[in-house]
Amino acid sequence: MQRPLEKIRVLDFTRVLAGPYCTMMLADMGAEVIKIEKPGHGDDTRHFGPFQNEESGYFIYLNRGKKSMALDLKNPHAIEAIKELVKQSDVVVENFRPGVMKKLGLDYESLKECNPGIIYASISGFGQYGPYSQRPAYDLVAQAMGGMTSITGHPENPPTRSGASLGDMSAALYAAYGIMAALFHRERTGEGQLIDVAMVDSIFALLESNVMRYTVDQIVPERIGSRHPISSPFDIFKAKDGFVVIAVANDSLFNKLAAVMQQPELAEDPRFNTDPLRTKNETELKAIIETWLNSYSVEEAVKLVSEAGVPCSPILTIEDICEDEHTNAREMLIEVEHPVAGPIKIPGNPVKLSRTPAVIKEASPSLGEHTEAILKDVLKWESARLQALEGQKV
Amino acid sequence: MQRPLEKIRVLDFTRVLAGPYCTMMLADMGAEVIKIEKPGHGDDTRHFGPFQNEESGYFIYLNRGKKSMALDLKNPHAIEAIKELVKQSDVVVENFRPGVMKKLGLDYESLKECNPGIIYASISGFGQYGPYSQRPAYDLVAQAMGGMTSITGHPENPPTRSGASLGDMSAALYAAYGIMAALFHRERTGEGQLIDVAMVDSIFALLESNVMRYTVDQIVPERIGSRHPISSPFDIFKAKDGFVVIAVANDSLFNKLAAVMQQPELAEDPRFNTDPLRTKNETELKAIIETWLNSYSVEEAVKLVSEAGVPCSPILTIEDICEDEHTNAREMLIEVEHPVAGPIKIPGNPVKLSRTPAVIKEASPSLGEHTEAILKDVLKWESARLQALEGQKV
């Protein structure tokens, strides 16, 4: 089956997480992604756990379906090879600190001379311009500087990082959307362009209405745990052996909850008989619900409450969700075959396209697996030029 | 300046957050987005705060640059109008519960008969198929069922929701990327297709290497607060008047930190002289650092530690980041003029395209503002047919 980005070639200078996840989304859609890696060492994540037969699961997941060229960016012959490749490519993606690609002579201004239609995406912590653009980019810093950390966690605890690297992942997603928009524009006009995406901007862009509460009402949103800002009981509650989500946003649902708790009087209680009152007296209400839940396991509670017509769910662990039948039905965990690691399960693509689905067949490449083939077959280099590259360790 | 999606028309049946954010990303890129709203009431978020001159800031932000048609989907003349519009449109986006559009006769199978090239994107809580597809879609549930909640928060506290609606926002982002891929495919082949994106799949897709730890090593990642799983001190620390991020991932940075703390002996301390040892003895080390930080304000600490060459940052509140010079330089907060609300500040687009930037000029439409103009100018309806629609309240 055809995938949407077939015949699109991406030169991929990215490392670690944000950049590789972005180019993974292009590879999933059928682009030929050529990953340029440091000879001998490769992407740092080749050395990150977890390992299966000494191959990194982290690397295999993020670099599935890509090709690898080992090229020493300090070797002028390697730079020549890259510039020749740019002439035959559509997209360049990089996530070095701003300025590094320029020092290497591989910035947008240099590469568009080789190919004016090239689309060049840079992902960084703070962006290519702005007062903080030279600051180092860790996800923890991006979440903190982007405003997310200040509103995550319980009020009595410190501000809290979200459990996954949202700075990297969201920047990758915004960049993929930007690259797609630029590809569409180029298809219609032939024009290329530069795309600049910052992790900290991406985190800020995820804050949704929290920003409007400040710009309109000068309210500074704070940490409120897992509860809903204006509805109650809409929170995470403790049952006998774990936690459950109960989501009640109106009186009718609250009546149903009170009934299943066999405390129908709660629905008439002057502390709890409207949504604003329930929110005002949320602490008392939570204590009553948790006292009741104390007699039930999570499984029992979710069954009882859901059957009463009240939205309710368990909190799945990573194990739970990986083993869940819905995850399986949605192909959100798929198996690829790696020549060394063997069969390995990696996350699928959440975008289900009916005609051109993201078919993920191949695992990640070994370091430099395609160096020679690309030099010979795409660039038509002959043995003398190949030898000139030999000075580098591959 | 031209934007990439100019001349692309989107029929937008979405409500609340995930769908409207997706079509907002299409509108930012220049698409003509026609929002179909319930006469009299409109999108629920028109009634959500914060309000400025009785207009919802929430709605203005998410629906900037769109048009509004008020159409009663139970009126057969409205359905006729929609089917005629589909013939002249490129994309349909909806986020009803699976099955609702089919009941209305507006599912993909029905609409592709009007226009075989139509791209039809559905965003939902659990997707269009799979055992849970009929479950209600709240962000709290999507985060909990997608695995994010189980790994967010401090180990001694309950699992914790991320402070922003990541289920909605990530599903919107994945859908925008999918729509862009489908538009690119259609540009080359003329073929349309159906796109199915679930909030719970999108959350799962953000978990990055947490999934690999389970599939490779059967480790179930748990809540570890804000600290780094394998490096230390890489965490959020308490200073005199707030919290700071300090990110040390190797011995050389730790030497610098120990020096600025005027406790150079820490770098030689057998509890702390390697990264694995620092992680093993993280609690003790954190106490030492926080004792030192207790003499400094956040501002002083960030200045001292950063100047010593150690990555360090404050934790910005929503107010801090909205007032920050970097946010301003990056145009991440922009002002639009709403005819009733007046000037209002809303978040910008984090994707900075050099040639076809996301120029955001217009605020949101009033309910039904474009109904008549579109019926007359696009569909060429004459007065008799317009009158047939009059039975509906607008």
Side-chain angles (χ1 to χ4, degrees), chain B residues 74-86:
Chain B
K74 288 173 185 152
N75 179 329
H77 300 287
I79 300 293
E80 252 177 64
I82 287 164
K83 291 191 171 176
E84 287 183 31
L85 261 176
V86 167

Side-chain angles (χ1 to χ4, degrees), chain A residues 173-181, chain B residues 25 28-29 176-177 180 349 351:
Chain A
L173 267 161
Y174 281 113
Y177 143 86
I179 291 166
M180 296 288 197
Chain B
M25 286 198 289
D28 278 6
M29 289 297 165
Y177 142 86
M180 296 289 197
N349 191 302
V351 179

Side-chain angles (χ1 to χ4, degrees), chain A residues 79-94:
Chain A
I79 299 295
E80 252 178 66
I82 287 164
K83 292 192 169 176
E84 286 182 30
L85 262 176
V86 167
K87 289 181 193 162
Q88 300 185 50
S89 296
D90 304 283
V91 179
V92 167
V93 189
E94 64 92 11

Side-chain angles (χ1 to χ4, degrees), chain A residues 72-133:
Chain A
D72 175 1
L73 300 181
K74 287 175 185 151
N75 179 329
H77 300 287
I79 299 295
E80 252 178 66
I82 287 164
K83 292 192 169 176
E84 286 182 30
L85 262 176
V86 167
K87 289 181 193 162
Q88 300 185 50
S89 296
D90 304 283
V91 179
V92 167
V93 189
E94 64 92 11
N95 68 335
F96 287 101
R97 201 188 286 201
V100 170
M101 287 294 269
K102 186 166 179 136
K103 269 189 208 153
L104 295 167
L106 298 174
D107 55 321
Y108 175 60
E109 296 304 319
S110 306
L111 296 190
K112 83 174 181 191
E113 284 181 21
C114 310
N115 178 355
I118 199 78
I119 292 163
Y120 188 110
S122 291
I123 302 172
S124 59
F126 291 88
Q128 302 300 308
Y129 61 88
Y132 308 156
S133 67

Side-chain angles (χ1 to χ4, degrees), chain A residues 157-342:
Chain A
N157 293 120
T160 307
R161 176 181 178 269
S162 287
S165 296
L166 297 182
D168 292 273
M169 300 302 272
S170 61
L173 267 161
Y174 281 113
Y177 143 86
I179 291 166
M180 296 288 197
L183 275 169
F184 187 78
H185 179 77
R186 203 199 54 170
E187 196 69 15
R188 292 188 154 183
T189 63
E191 296 173 345
Q193 60 187 312
L194 177 65
I195 303 169
D196 169 14
V197 174
M199 285 163 62
V200 71
D201 292 351
S202 300
I203 288 288
F204 181 75
L206 292 181
L207 298 176
E208 32 92 9
S209 59
N210 289 291
V211 173
M212 299 311 299
R213 294 177 65 200
Y214 176 72
T215 64
V216 172
D217 282 341
Q218 288 73 56
I219 289 169
V220 183
E222 292 182 348
R223 300 187 292 289
I224 58 169
S226 299
R227 71 176 178 81
H228 195 283
I230 57 168
S231 282
S232 187
F234 200 113
D235 201 350
I236 291 171
F237 300 88
K238 194 165 179 16
K240 198 166 63 182
D241 62 347
F243 294 90
V244 296
V245 168
I246 297 176
V248 167
N250 59 50
D251 295 343
S252 142
L253 286 173
F254 187 61
N255 291 350
K256 290 180 183 173
L257 179 66
V260 75
M261 287 170 67
Q262 297 186 293
Q263 300 178 50
E265 67 280 8
L266 287 176
E268 308 300 323
D269 191 310
R271 294 169 300 171
F272 308 131
N273 62 3
T274 69
D275 202 23
L277 282 168
R278 288 191 293 275
T279 302
K280 189 181 162 206
N281 300 305
E282 197 265 341
T283 311
E284 275 172 277
L285 183 55
K286 188 166 187 171
I288 293 169
I289 293 171
E290 292 194 332
T291 302
W292 175 72
L293 281 172
N294 200 27
S295 310
Y296 298 96
S297 69
V298 171
E299 197 181 336
E300 290 163 348
V302 169
K303 190 165 185 289
L304 262 175
V305 177
S306 300
E307 281 177 358
V310 177
C312 179
S313 83
I315 302 200
L316 301 190
T317 64
I318 305 291
E319 176 176 13
D320 292 336
I321 186 161
C322 287
E323 302 296 342
D324 194 272
E325 55 172 348
H326 194 72
T327 308
N328 185 44
R330 302 282 300 168
E331 297 182 86
M332 284 309 297
L333 205 55
I334 55 178
E335 191 172 280
V336 292
E337 180 75 27
H338 185 278
V340 179

Side-chain angles (χ1 to χ4, degrees), chain A residues 2 4-6 8 21 25 29 50-52 57-58 61 126-132 138 140 144-147 149-152 154 157-166 169 173-174 177-178 180-181 183-185 187-188 191-196 198 201 204-212 214-217 220-221 226 234-236 243 245 311 314-319 321-326 329-330 332-333 344-346 349-356, chain B residues 2 4-6 8 21 25 29 50-52 57-58 61 126-132 138 140 144-152 154 157-166 169 173-174 177-178 180-181 183-185 187-188 191-196 198 201 204-212 214-217 220-221 226 234-236 243 245 311 314-319 321-326 329-330 332-333 344-346 349-356:
Chain A
Q2 205 189 337
L5 296 190
E6 269 166 30
I8 293 295
Y21 189 71
M25 286 198 289
M29 288 298 165
F51 296 103
Q52 186 165 309
Y58 191 119
Y61 152 47
F126 291 88
Q128 302 300 308
Y129 61 88
Y132 308 156
Y138 295 102
L140 183 64
M145 293 286 290
T149 308
S150 76
I151 56 170
T152 299
H154 293 270
N157 293 120
T160 307
R161 176 181 178 269
S162 287
S165 296
L166 297 182
M169 300 302 272
L173 267 161
Y174 281 113
Y177 143 86
M180 296 288 197
L183 275 169
F184 187 78
H185 179 77
E187 196 69 15
R188 292 188 154 183
E191 296 173 345
Q193 60 187 312
L194 177 65
I195 303 169
D196 169 14
D201 292 351
F204 181 75
L206 292 181
L207 298 176
E208 32 92 9
S209 59
N210 289 291
V211 173
M212 299 311 299
Y214 176 72
T215 64
V216 172
D217 282 341
V220 183
S226 299
F234 200 113
D235 201 350
I236 291 171
F243 294 90
V245 168
I315 302 200
L316 301 190
T317 64
I318 305 291
E319 176 176 13
I321 186 161
C322 287
E323 302 296 342
D324 194 272
E325 55 172 348
H326 194 72
R330 302 282 300 168
M332 284 309 297
L333 205 55
I344 184 166
K345 280 192 173 169
I346 60 177
N349 191 302
V351 180
K352 308 302 180 187
L353 292 158
S354 64
R355 190 185 291 272
T356 59
Chain B
Q2 204 191 337
L5 296 189
E6 269 166 30
I8 293 296
Y21 189 71
M25 286 198 289
M29 289 297 165
F51 296 104
Q52 185 166 307
Y58 191 118
Y61 151 46
F126 291 88
Q128 303 299 308
Y129 61 87
Y132 308 155
Y138 295 104
L140 183 63
M145 293 286 290
M148 187 70 81
T149 309
S150 75
I151 56 170
T152 299
H154 293 269
N157 293 119
T160 307
R161 176 181 178 270
S162 287
S165 296
L166 297 183
M169 300 302 273
L173 266 162
Y174 280 112
Y177 142 86
M180 296 289 197
L183 276 169
F184 187 78
H185 179 77
E187 196 68 14
R188 292 188 155 182
E191 296 173 345
Q193 60 186 314
L194 177 65
I195 303 169
D196 169 14
D201 292 350
F204 181 75
L206 292 181
L207 298 176
E208 31 94 8
S209 59
N210 289 290
V211 174
M212 299 310 299
Y214 176 71
T215 64
V216 172
D217 281 342
V220 183
S226 299
F234 200 115
D235 201 348
I236 291 171
F243 294 90
V245 168
I315 303 201
L316 300 191
T317 65
I318 305 291
E319 176 177 14
I321 186 161
C322 286
E323 303 296 343
D324 194 272
E325 56 170 348
H326 193 74
R330 302 282 301 169
M332 285 308 298
L333 204 57
I344 185 166
K345 280 193 173 168
I346 61 177
N349 191 302
V351 179
K352 309 301 180 188
L353 291 158
S354 63
R355 190 185 292 270
T356 61

Side-chain angles (χ1 to χ4, degrees), chain B residues 212-289:
Chain B
M212 299 310 299
R213 292 176 66 199
Y214 176 71
T215 64
V216 172
D217 281 342
Q218 288 75 54
I219 289 169
V220 183
E222 292 183 347
R223 300 187 292 290
I224 58 168
S226 299
R227 71 175 177 82
H228 195 282
I230 56 167
S231 283
S232 187
F234 200 115
D235 201 348
I236 291 171
F237 300 87
K238 194 165 181 11
K240 199 165 64 183
D241 62 347
F243 294 90
V244 295
V245 168
I246 297 176
V248 166
N250 58 50
D251 295 343
S252 142
L253 286 172
F254 187 62
N255 290 350
K256 290 178 183 174
L257 179 66
V260 76
M261 288 170 67
Q262 298 185 292
Q263 301 177 48
E265 67 280 9
L266 287 176
E268 308 300 323
D269 192 309
R271 293 169 300 170
F272 308 131
N273 62 3
T274 69
D275 201 23
L277 282 169
R278 288 191 293 275
T279 303
K280 187 180 165 208
N281 299 306
E282 198 265 341
T283 312
E284 276 173 277
L285 182 56
K286 188 166 188 171
I288 293 169
I289 293 170

Side-chain angles (χ1 to χ4, degrees), chain B residues 355-371:
Chain B
R355 190 185 292 270
T356 61
V359 180
I360 298 152
K361 288 172 289 198
E362 288 169 5
S364 58
S366 64
L367 178 56
E369 184 176 338
H370 306 88
T371 313

